[in-house]
Amino acid sequence: MSNSKVDFLYLNEEEMVKLGVTDMKGCVESMEEMFRLLSRGDYAMGGSNGNSHGCMVSFPDISPFPNMPVNGPDRRFMAMPAYLGGEYDMAGMKWYGSNVENKDRGLPRSILMLMLNDKETGAPRSLMSANLLSAYRTGAVPGVGAKHLARRDSKVLGIYGPGVMNKTALEAFVCTCPCLDTIKIKGRSRGSIESFIEYVKEKFPQFQTIEVADTLEELVRGSDVISMAASCPEGSENYPMVKEEWIKPGAFFSLPACANFEDDFLLNRAKTVVDNFGLYEAWTEEYPHPSFETVPIIGTKFVDMYHDGIMPRKKIEDIGDIINGKVPGRKDDDEIILFSIGGMPVEDVAWGTELYRKALDQGIGTKLNLWDSPRMA
């Protein structure tokens, strides 16, 4: 008789820290392997297309029901399921609720959990705190891009949007671009800029020069690596426009948030790379065309241009194909490269699986019982 008992491991935030969730070098390596698997096709995400970012519950602007939440900044719930093969061979789902008003309650804007599941039975393997996990896998992906696409001698880093996303991205850039010694920062408020400066001084003493840029142009000019991770309202008229004449030859852009570039530059003089072409194709199915008006990630514009017959498909390259050697990476020191980052649940499954297996090896976490024997089977 088969054993029908189901236990799973619960890991809280402090336990995740003990397991190394903030090990950026390890997380970059995990994301690199994840991209190799994506390039081979050994993964599945949600939706009929198998590439969906996730399923989101949003709320109406006005509701006749007194207890129903209404629309507001980052007011949503979202489920992000995926399976990742290779050495991970795990299914999972990140689930979170988000509300910008959480900050007034002393809480993060988003509160995240990751559930890992047995790929055969669907039984839970682990339920873990995922705020730090998500933050570090989000930061690690730009680091992977910089490792394969930035100039090896990059020295000047431009940070547009001095928030959590760019804090972890900065840590990843330090891991993969060891020559960085100057940082330029552009933010909306003096408070966020000063907080970021203190963070840099405390954690990254290799930055001997720290500058505050008053404009996006000032930030971009002279920078070797530029990370644009500031939020903005939907609609391309609201996205910060980077002009070609500002850009230093050989610059690498990490673009996980809103940004815009002129069409002629994208088509004829920039190398355009995405984290996963299929993710942007899924967005074109899920949102009205042009999807860039709703999803402010530059890769969405690449794919809109492809569907409009403007940009050839081969012009949109996958980072996984570059890592696997299917297509070349940087061709010379003057090439300007844009790396679009949409974020995917396979990233959470990859890093979460590594930490779960460490927890089993180290005896960390709380074992919870689902049932000894199911009452209905």
Side-chain angles (χ1 to χ4, degrees), residues 1 4-6 121 370-377:
M1 182 177 179
S4 59
K5 182 177 180 179
V6 174
T121 67
L370 189 66
W371 59 56
D372 290 325
S373 179
R375 288 180 177 264
M376 296 181 69

Side-chain angles (χ1 to χ4, degrees), residues 25-211:
K25 182 176 181 293
C27 192
V28 167
E29 291 170 354
S30 181
M31 295 303 100
E32 195 170 29
E33 178 60 23
M34 178 272 305
F35 280 125
R36 290 191 184 99
L37 294 169
L38 259 63
S39 174
R40 296 172 191 148
D42 194 2
Y43 76 101
M45 297 193 291
S48 59
N49 49 53
N51 277 299
S52 181
H53 180 73
C55 179
M56 185 167 65
V57 177
S58 52
F59 297 101
D61 293 331
I62 301 172
S63 172
F65 307 103
N67 292 328
M68 179 180 284
V70 294
N71 188 26
D74 288 312
R75 191 71 179 95
R76 60 181 184 269
F77 290 97
M78 192 162 192
M80 300 173 64
Y83 164 79
L84 184 62
E87 66 186 59
Y88 301 99
D89 198 28
M90 185 73 73
M93 182 187 73
K94 184 167 75 176
W95 166 254
Y96 69 93
S98 183
N99 186 355
V100 74
E101 294 179 4
N102 281 355
K103 293 180 180 180
D104 298 332
R105 302 182 176 97
L107 295 169
R109 182 198 66 190
S110 299
I111 299 175
L112 305 96
M113 300 293 294
L114 177 68
M115 174 66 80
L116 298 177
N117 297 82
D118 186 279
K119 66 169 185 178
E120 299 294 343
T121 67
R125 291 277 191 89
S126 181
L127 177 65
M128 61 183 71
S129 170
N131 275 60
L132 288 173
L133 182 150
S134 186
Y136 272 77
R137 67 80 158 158
T138 299
V141 171
V144 173
K147 177 179 178 180
H148 291 272
L149 300 172
R151 285 179 52 144
R152 294 296 89 210
D153 60 353
S154 295
K155 291 186 176 182
V156 182
L157 172 63
I159 292 291
Y160 183 81
V164 172
M165 193 183 298
N166 258 333
K167 282 183 177 179
T168 53
L170 168 59
E171 192 166 346
F173 293 139
V174 167
C175 288
T176 57
C177 299
C179 295
L180 291 173
D181 61 13
T182 298
I183 188 167
K184 298 161 72 175
I185 303 164
K186 169 73 173 73
R188 291 193 184 101
S189 71
R190 190 69 208 177
S192 65
I193 294 169
E194 289 177 353
S195 174
F196 200 89
I197 290 172
E198 288 305 310
Y199 174 76
V200 173
K201 288 180 177 178
E202 179 183 347
K203 292 202 67 174
F204 306 107
Q206 62 265 53
F207 287 101
Q208 298 299 305
T209 303
I210 301 174
E211 301 174 5

